[in-house]
Amino acid sequence: MPTRTDRQEAADALHQAFLVNFLAELEARKLQDELKYGDLSGDSGSDRSDVDMDSSSSSSLFSESSTSSSSEEELTAARDYVDQMGNLYSERYLQERRPITKTRENLRLLLDDHKINRPEIFRSYLRITPACFDDLVSAIEDDEVFCNNSQNDQMPVAEQVAIALYRFGHYGNAASCMKVALHFGVGYGTVQLVTTRVMKACCSERFRAASVQWASPQAKEAAKQWVEKASCPAWRNGWLMVDGTLVPLFRRPAFFGNVWFDRKSNYLMNVQLVSTPDCQIIDYAVGLPGSQHDASAWDPLQKWCQAPYKKPEKLTWDNTTHNYHVSAVRVCSEHCVGYLKGRWSSLRGLRVAINNSAGLQYATLWIIACIHLHAGRSTSESNSGLRDVGVEQGETGMQRKRINWIR
């Protein structure tokens, strides 16, 4: 059932009270008229002529007086109802608003002190190192979402990114708007607003093109060498791993709720990832409901996507050997999912209400923003072009250590 505000319930109560009182007044008026004018029907025949003679004048007077009194009473009841409704909607808030004591000291301490003197504390809050944070702010601070024509300037981009990353890196009540607002000393609506801005900037085409890219020839060759060494020479060309993961939702969606219910009796969103052996995400698919199986999600790719054998085929010796070599390579995709959810813990319990198509789009953009940040690259120019955020120059392919985003 949809929720109703206190103002809506009060308006319904006033409307019902008005109808009850109005009907009661009509019944009382009818009873008074019967008692006052009921003896006219019992007059004798001798007096009927007098009544007939004065019928026109008396009836006109009666109708005028009845109409005027009735209209006055009806206007009085309606006026009372209108006045009460006007008083109800004259105030923006029904209850007295009391200020909540908050401080922005935690935000200033995080960005001014911990970022410089205690980087391990900074990373535990925002899930990235200070160097990565600076590169991320530099990459998105020019986005149009942080510019407006209002006379009130937005809060600094660094503070907005810090609040959004804190929410991305936590799940459950720790990522709720109220807890984040009280922790950083900002308004409840401000938390939602800055999170949306950072999401839009991280989901922009420019940021996506700089973060999620197809592997370079050098990285592709390094991945093939790793597959050949970890599995067998026959699997050398199978250098990509595809796997699906489920993102739990904190409550049942009102938007086609049953389709999000999976075989494990949870409401989830299905996410498909394409990654390399070094846990670099190069493609993804987001938005499928939890009831969608990975096999059907990857059905268009079945011509080149090899899956392990299932029972009873996997019980044969050859197929068991086949599954062993496939699993030795495929385990990297599990590691990639673990790194992604370990870094951005909001994907372990997404606090987004999917009540309509807009809620579905918001949840999808949240997940995409986390994927882009996981595979984030800086837009700063270097000798090697677009480089991984925080990755030392000169490291390519499987030798990249991705020290800031994964390790």
Side-chain angles (χ1 to χ4, degrees):
M1 294 294 292
T3 58
R4 297 177 62 82
T5 63
D6 295 339
R7 193 186 304 274
Q8 291 173 334
E9 294 179 354
D12 291 344
L14 287 177
H15 184 68
Q16 294 176 3
F18 165 71
L19 294 178
V20 171
N21 294 333
F22 186 71
L23 292 176
E25 291 178 1
L26 291 179
E27 292 292 338
R29 190 182 309 142
K30 180 179 179 182
L31 181 59
Q32 291 178 0
D33 293 343
E34 291 178 352
L35 294 176
K36 184 175 181 179
Y37 302 105
D39 56 348
L40 294 178
S41 60
D43 291 340
S44 59
S46 58
D47 297 335
R48 186 170 298 277
S49 60
D50 297 335
V51 174
D52 293 339
M53 292 175 59
D54 299 333
S55 60
S56 59
S57 58
S58 62
S59 61
S60 61
L61 293 174
F62 171 74
S63 61
E64 292 176 358
S65 61
S66 176
T67 303
S68 60
S69 61
S70 176
S71 61
E72 290 177 359
E73 293 179 359
E74 289 178 2
L75 289 175
T76 302
R79 188 179 299 110
D80 292 340
Y81 173 71
V82 172
D83 292 341
Q84 292 176 356
M85 293 294 290
N87 293 332
L88 177 64
Y89 285 93
S90 62
E91 300 290 338
R92 182 176 181 181
Y93 303 100
L94 295 181
Q95 299 178 354
E96 180 183 359
R97 291 180 57 81
R98 295 177 296 176
I100 301 176
T101 303
K102 293 180 292 187
T103 177
R104 302 188 68 176
E105 186 63 26
N106 289 334
L107 185 59
R108 290 191 291 266
L109 186 66
L110 180 66
L111 296 179
D112 297 338
D113 181 71
H114 294 338
K115 180 182 175 182
I116 300 173
N117 301 323
R118 301 304 299 267
E120 72 280 3
I121 298 179
F122 180 89
R123 182 171 181 175
S124 68
Y125 272 93
L126 304 187
R127 314 304 298 162
I128 59 176
T129 62
C132 274
F133 180 83
D134 292 337
D135 286 340
L136 178 60
V137 173
S138 300
I140 66 175
E141 63 182 354
D142 295 332
D143 195 280
E144 60 181 6
V145 74
F146 297 112
C147 302
N148 54 18
N149 297 323
S150 175
Q151 297 179 354
N152 300 324
D153 295 334
Q154 294 186 14
M155 61 192 306
V157 177
E159 295 183 0
Q160 298 188 49
V161 172
I163 294 174
L165 293 182
Y166 182 87
R167 295 192 72 192
F168 293 157
H170 295 77
Y171 73 103
N173 292 333
S176 64
C177 290
M178 184 188 71
K179 291 294 183 64
V180 177
L182 295 177
H183 181 75
F184 289 115
V186 296
Y188 296 170
T190 303
V191 174
Q192 188 72 11
L193 184 61
V194 299
T195 303
T196 303
R197 289 173 182 166
V198 175
M199 283 171 48
K200 290 181 178 179
C202 293
C203 293
S204 63
E205 180 62 23
R206 184 185 67 170
F207 193 88
R208 185 206 62 79
S211 59
V212 180
Q213 297 178 349
W214 196 258
S216 63
Q218 296 82 3
K220 182 177 178 179
E221 180 61 28
K224 289 183 177 181
Q225 293 177 5
W226 181 89
V227 171
E228 182 179 2
K229 181 179 179 181
S231 182
C232 62
W235 281 99
R236 187 178 190 278
N237 292 328
W239 60 281
L240 285 179
M241 295 81 188
V242 296
D243 194 14
T245 184
L246 297 173
V247 176
L249 303 174
F250 81 110
R251 72 179 186 186
R252 178 184 184 274
F255 188 67
F256 298 98
N258 291 337
V259 302
W260 306 94
F261 196 73
D262 78 328
R263 59 186 178 85
K264 297 183 180 179
S265 302
N266 295 314
Y267 294 99
L268 309 121
M269 180 177 288
N270 192 310
V271 180
Q272 302 293 323
L273 301 175
V274 181
S275 60
T276 55
D278 61 346
C279 301
Q280 177 73 33
I281 298 176
I282 64 174
D283 204 356
Y284 56 85
V286 183
L288 295 174
S291 60
Q292 188 83 16
H293 194 272
D294 291 346
S296 58
W298 289 109
D299 184 66
L301 308 178
Q302 61 185 355
K303 293 182 179 180
W304 61 269
C305 182
Q306 180 63 55
Y309 285 102
K310 308 296 182 183
K311 287 185 178 180
E313 288 81 2
K314 77 172 188 177
L315 299 178
T316 64
W317 176 258
D318 292 339
N319 291 343
T320 300
T321 305
H322 175 273
N323 286 355
Y324 174 81
H325 290 290
V326 172
S327 299
V329 177
R330 181 181 171 275
V331 69
C332 291
S333 62
E334 302 291 345
H335 296 165
C336 179
V337 172
Y339 287 137
L340 176 63
K341 290 188 175 182
R343 177 68 67 189
W344 308 117
S345 297
S346 60
L347 303 183
R348 299 165 60 185
L350 194 59
R351 292 188 62 88
V352 176
I354 303 180
N355 297 327
N356 46 40
S357 58
L360 175 58
Q361 183 181 16
Y362 190 86
T364 302
L365 292 178
W366 185 299
I367 298 174
I368 292 176
C370 292
I371 294 175
H372 288 179
L373 290 171
H374 172 79
R377 291 182 173 88
S378 173
T379 57
S380 59
E381 293 289 339
S382 64
N383 295 332
S384 58
L386 294 178
R387 61 179 180 85
D388 287 349
V389 175
V391 177
E392 299 178 1
Q393 296 185 14
E395 294 178 339
T396 60
M398 297 297 296
Q399 297 178 350
R400 285 182 288 184
K401 299 302 181 182
R402 307 194 72 243
I403 55 179
N404 295 291
W405 297 97
I406 292 181
R407 195 178 62 186

